[in-house]
Amino acid sequence: MISAPDFLSRLQRDTAAYVTDTWQRSALTLDVLRERGDIFLAHLIAGKPPLLQFEHELLVDGRSLPAPCNYALLRIVPPQGAVIDPTRRPIVIIDPRAGHGPGIGGFKPDSEVGVALKAGHAVYFVTFAPEPVDGQTLIDVARAEAAFIEHVRERHPKCPGKPAVIGNCQAGWAVAGLASVRPDIMGPIVLNGAPLSYWGGSPAQNPMRYAGGLLGGAWLSAFTADLSGDRFDGAWLVSNFENLNLGNTWWGKYDHLYANVDTERERFLEFERWWGGYFRMTGEEIESIVENLFVGNRLARGEVVADGVPIDLRNITSPIVIFASWGDNITPPQQALNWIIDAWGSEKALVAAGRTIVYMLHPTIGHLGIFVGGAVARKEHDQIVNTLDLVERLPPGLYEMNILPKDPDAPFAELEPGAFSVQFEPRTVDDIRALAPDGRQDEAMFSTVAQLSEANMAAYRTLWQPWVRAVGSRPLGDALRWLHPLRQQHLALSSFSPAAPWVREAARRAEADRQPAAPDNVWRAWERLGSDWITEALNRIGGLRDDSSTRWVTFAYGPQGLGALLPPHASDEEAALARAETSEAEARRIALGLAGQGGFAEAVCRLVLVGLSRQGVIERRTLRLGQLIAQSHREMASAPGAHRAAQPSADDWKGLLERQALVMTFAGDEALAALPLLLPSTSDRERAVALAAAVLMMAPTLADPASPVARAVRERLGVDPARVAALAMSLAQAVGGVPDTPSLPAPKSRRKASA
């Protein structure tokens, strides 16, 4: 037990050390904020170039296109030592235009750009200028992005695959919309933190979606743009993001800098350089975004029209990978995924249409962390990039992607790059519904909000817009822009401040004589306690604000309020279920007709599909092994026979897989019953089962005569499981590196079987 004199002596020392440390940290923190203001101005003077950490060159300037816009295509110059494989599909990364400037996709070495370069892909980046072209529309931007992707494809004639496209946040819905009307130009698409179902979420997790009800709809965005001469300031969008988290915005991020100013300076300034770069849109752009997406939720419902063509997300033929997080309060998983329910209705409808959707959920990372988090880039983004080609080889359907630590002793572990293993678990739309434990009842209320917004917008355009446009002008907009509080806080603490010379000198002295307090200093402990209290108090205020907003909107637009005058429209989910029922009935009819058709390739595919369904999970190793075996044994699809026109070439595994997935999903019993007729000879049956077992890595199970798999093979096809297991093992070992690939007899001719 410490004595009173010792306690007083330590308290005196801690107090003296803390006073010195506090003064020095205060001076250093103020100087960092001064630097932030100077960086803000320097970035503005430089024209706000994209904040990429990679050398790049301009390929196509969107301002030179027939329908000009402020977008441009950049080629990322591979850093020294990077090896780009010309046969690997190029990757195009598109950053969001949601108030900030471009660059988060390549913000640091560990980023989407960095992991794609490391994997050997050529990388391209779609950027945009701070100011839009006069009269620019979202359709102009879409045309430009399509032209960029076509240009990228032309630059890679040796690559058999189409470019993969990554859309971050707001760029995600743009990529999805473009993929629905131009499915011919792109390969797999990745949607990171991308909102497609804006009405999805929960009151506690996503309070931003109630803003439309509080403001009476989309009219305010049009008013703001009209007042500024057809310009909408992105700083207002950034303000909305900041207001979501009062504790961090008004205290936490500055306190973290203050508490760790000796080590946090570079990280803070790097992030603030991007966070403080505000870009503008035209009035048409922001009105279309707010009306069609934020308030109207029309994209998920197929009500957005581009050049007279409805944008229907069901028309996306590319495999889709969706990455969302439970820690994201801007785009929660429901907003990223609910469109699947509303567009398709069931997972079987996806199979019937030959579509593949994969989603991955992070447990904690926030919205910005999805794009700029180094740990996320090294794990999730790295594994997504290294799996894109194999996603195309998944059977059609809905899957959840899981990343697990790799077991180096697992069979064929070397087929998976890095330290992780990837699995795809089949999912249903009920699994997506379960992500919203509160249900979707409140979406009916947002339908009423959308109707009121349309009425308010029509009234504004008729009564007030001509007057506002007469008063508004570009110079007025420029003046209002500089009066925005976010810009003022940068200017107030820059070198333009009268106190700037004093701050610089105080920081210089503090750095020269830096005396940090010890970590166990008693006053540092009290400092942390006080800081936590302030953060918690601000968060409570924000929570009370959000709760009151939710309650008011629910009351105002519910069935006892405006919902009685503007009844909600019919649920999109109900329409999707009706469509799904029709498509599934048609798929069943087609599947029955195909069940007895085909030969060796179809039989192998069916065996693989039934094996995957019984395993309950598809491993990346399985896909890669199947790819290698298919390349090594092209006779799977080369033999002549009846229905040759329906058979794939050696490179058309995807088409074969789609057809047989449809058959197995909607006529599975009939398809399995037809296997003996698709494989008329014993040698064909042995080879078919061996190939399927090799792909599924099931040779050891097949070798056990008591296993259900061995019994099923013996009873259904009349072959020796042990002999087939040995052949399967030799096939797998051959593609895994054993030099002498066993010689296989050519398959017998194929014939049609009765269903």
Side-chain angles (χ1 to χ4, degrees):
M1 183 175 180
I2 188 171
S3 63
D6 289 341
F7 171 77
L8 292 175
S9 176
R10 177 180 175 180
L11 183 61
Q12 184 178 14
R13 291 195 305 270
D14 282 0
T15 301
Y18 182 74
V19 168
T20 301
D21 179 47
T22 299
W23 166 252
Q24 292 178 340
R25 282 189 289 140
S26 299
L28 292 172
T29 299
L30 287 173
D31 195 53
V32 171
L33 296 178
R34 177 194 61 78
E35 287 188 78
R36 181 185 68 166
D38 291 349
I39 289 172
F40 167 78
L41 292 171
H43 191 215
L44 176 66
I45 294 171
K48 297 182 183 178
L51 299 179
L52 294 168
Q53 293 294 312
F54 299 86
E55 184 182 350
H56 52 274
E57 61 177 357
L58 176 66
L59 292 182
V60 183
D61 190 334
R63 289 170 290 196
S64 65
L65 296 175
C69 67
N70 65 336
Y71 277 64
L73 176 67
L74 307 178
R75 181 183 80 91
I76 302 298
V77 178
Q80 187 175 5
V83 179
I84 304 302
D85 185 348
T87 65
R88 303 206 72 176
R89 71 172 76 244
I91 291 181
V92 181
I93 298 172
I94 307 178
D95 264 358
R97 188 158 160 249
H100 302 102
I104 57 173
F107 199 57
K108 55 182 70 172
D110 289 327
S111 61
E112 295 166 0
V113 172
V115 298
L117 289 171
K118 183 181 177 182
H121 295 271
V123 181
Y124 298 84
F125 193 88
V126 175
T127 183
F128 45 88
E131 294 291 332
V133 175
D134 286 340
Q136 173 178 313
T137 68
L138 292 182
I139 302 301
D140 296 333
V141 173
R143 291 194 189 101
E145 291 176 344
F148 296 159
I149 296 170
E150 289 177 322
H151 182 80
V152 169
R153 190 176 179 185
E154 292 170 0
R155 288 177 58 89
H156 295 269
K158 295 182 180 180
C159 178
K162 300 174 186 177
V165 183
I166 298 176
N168 292 323
C169 187
Q170 296 291 347
W173 60 255
V175 168
L178 181 59
S180 72
V181 296
R182 291 296 309 274
D184 58 306
I185 62 174
M186 62 183 78
I189 63 175
V190 181
L191 310 178
N192 294 319
L196 292 177
S197 297
Y198 284 83
W199 292 351
S202 66
Q205 185 182 15
N206 191 227
M208 182 183 286
R209 62 191 185 137
Y210 292 88
L214 291 171
L215 301 174
W219 71 272
L220 186 58
S221 61
F223 170 79
T224 305
D226 292 337
L227 197 63
S228 298
D230 194 39
R231 289 293 184 270
F232 180 82
D233 186 2
W236 292 111
L237 296 177
V238 179
S239 294
N240 289 337
F241 299 148
E242 291 204 334
N243 287 334
L244 284 174
N245 191 338
L246 297 183
N248 182 69
T249 297
W250 296 108
W251 182 261
K253 69 177 182 179
Y254 299 111
D255 177 69
H256 184 71
L257 171 66
Y258 169 71
N260 306 277
V261 69
D262 297 305
T263 58
E264 279 292 298
R265 175 183 172 275
E266 293 300 329
R267 187 208 62 80
F268 179 86
L269 291 176
E270 180 185 43
F271 179 78
E272 287 291 314
R273 186 179 179 216
W274 172 73
W275 188 252
Y278 313 118
F279 284 47
R280 297 203 289 185
M281 305 179 188
T282 64
E284 189 280 340
E285 288 180 296
I286 189 61
E287 289 176 37
S288 295
I289 291 172
V290 175
E291 282 190 279
N292 292 325
L293 303 175
F294 293 166
V295 176
N297 194 39
R298 293 172 182 165
L299 179 63
R301 290 159 38 208
E303 295 180 358
V304 178
V305 177
D307 287 339
V309 179
I311 298 178
D312 189 343
L313 298 180
R314 290 173 296 169
N315 292 334
I316 300 175
T317 58
S318 302
I320 304 173
V321 179
I322 301 169
F323 180 27
S325 173
W326 286 110
D328 186 348
N329 63 348
I330 293 176
T331 305
Q334 299 95 319
Q335 285 194 4
L337 297 173
N338 277 358
W339 69 272
I340 300 172
I341 304 173
D342 295 339
W344 291 103
S346 76
E347 65 284 354
K348 287 188 176 182
L350 282 168
V351 179
R355 306 291 195 264
T356 303
I357 300 177
V358 176
Y359 67 88
M360 179 170 59
L361 302 178
H362 194 284
T364 57
I365 197 71
H367 186 70
L368 291 177
I370 290 176
F371 318 114
V372 302
V376 172
R378 290 188 296 272
K379 183 180 179 183
E380 281 80 7
H381 291 307
D382 181 61
Q383 297 307 308
I384 289 174
V385 166
N386 281 289
T387 308
L388 282 180
D389 288 343
L390 297 178
V391 167
E392 285 191 314
R393 296 180 176 273
L394 280 170
L398 178 65
Y399 301 90
E400 181 174 3
M401 177 175 168
N402 295 311
I403 301 175
L404 307 171
K406 184 167 71 174
D407 178 4
D409 298 325
F412 302 103
E414 66 278 4
L415 295 180
E416 296 202 89
F420 297 100
S421 177
V422 172
Q423 294 180 344
F424 300 94
E425 293 189 49
R427 291 288 185 249
T428 68
V429 293
D430 284 338
D431 292 317
I432 297 179
R433 291 189 183 99
L435 299 178
D438 299 330
R440 305 182 66 185
Q441 294 84 356
D442 56 354
E443 294 188 21
M445 173 186 65
F446 291 119
S447 176
T448 298
V449 172
Q451 294 177 65
L452 179 67
S453 175
E454 292 174 4
N456 286 344
M457 194 62 140
Y460 170 75
R461 285 173 173 154
T462 302
L463 301 175
W464 299 106
Q465 193 171 59
W467 298 97
V468 176
R469 286 183 172 178
V471 173
S473 66
R474 198 67 54 79
L476 176 59
D478 291 339
L480 293 174
R481 176 177 62 168
W482 281 108
L483 291 175
H484 194 282
L486 291 182
R487 289 187 178 87
Q488 283 297 309
Q489 70 174 242
H490 285 79
L491 294 176
L493 295 172
S494 70
S495 290
F496 282 105
S497 169
W502 177 86
V503 170
R504 281 197 298 267
E505 179 60 21
R508 185 190 65 78
R509 292 183 178 180
E511 192 170 8
D513 189 33
R514 184 75 177 103
Q515 300 176 43
D520 62 347
N521 187 295
V522 65
W523 296 111
R524 289 298 299 264
W526 279 104
E527 176 187 299
R528 299 271 27 95
L529 183 63
S531 177
D532 292 343
W533 182 88
I534 294 173
T535 301
E536 178 63 22
L538 288 170
N539 285 335
R540 285 181 179 273
I541 293 172
L544 291 172
R545 175 205 61 191
D546 295 339
D547 185 60
S548 61
S549 299
T550 301
R551 290 176 181 272
W552 188 90
V553 171
T554 301
F555 170 77
Y557 295 92
Q560 305 304 318
L562 289 171
L565 299 175
L566 301 171
H569 294 311
S571 167
D572 298 308
E573 184 175 349
E574 293 178 3
L577 288 172
R579 287 195 305 267
E581 185 176 351
T582 301
S583 66
E584 289 176 24
E586 176 63 13
R588 166 70 175 169
R589 184 189 66 79
I590 295 174
L592 287 172
L594 294 174
Q597 297 183 18
F600 188 81
E602 287 75 10
V604 172
C605 192
R606 292 179 190 183
L607 290 169
V608 170
L609 289 172
V610 72
L612 291 175
S613 67
R614 291 177 179 176
Q615 287 180 346
V617 65
I618 302 176
E619 298 192 47
R620 183 167 57 182
R621 291 176 298 154
T622 298
L623 297 173
R624 179 60 178 150
L625 191 57
Q627 182 183 38
L628 293 174
I629 291 175
Q631 291 171 352
S632 300
H633 301 279
R634 294 179 180 273
E635 64 269 24
M636 283 182 62
S638 63
H643 314 291
R644 181 178 177 84
Q647 300 305 313
S649 67
D651 296 324
D652 194 39
W653 170 256
K654 187 175 185 295
L656 170 68
L657 189 64
E658 288 180 3
R659 287 189 294 274
Q660 296 309 308
L662 183 143
V663 170
M664 294 300 296
T665 300
F666 294 98
D669 292 339
E670 293 84 352
L672 292 178
L675 282 177
L677 297 175
L678 300 186
L679 302 168
S681 71
T682 300
S683 64
D684 279 352
R685 296 176 187 181
E686 288 179 345
R687 293 177 61 257
V689 176
L691 281 168
V695 170
L696 297 168
M697 297 180 287
M698 292 180 61
T701 303
L702 197 60
D704 179 6
S707 69
V709 174
R711 288 199 302 270
V713 166
R714 185 167 49 247
E715 294 170 2
R716 189 177 289 272
L717 294 175
V719 296
D720 180 8
R723 173 179 165 80
V724 172
L727 182 57
M729 186 65 73
S730 65
L731 286 170
Q733 289 175 342
V735 298
V738 178
D740 296 326
T741 303
S743 175
L744 297 178
K748 297 293 191 294
S749 62
R750 291 175 272 188
R751 60 189 178 90
K752 182 176 179 180
S754 58

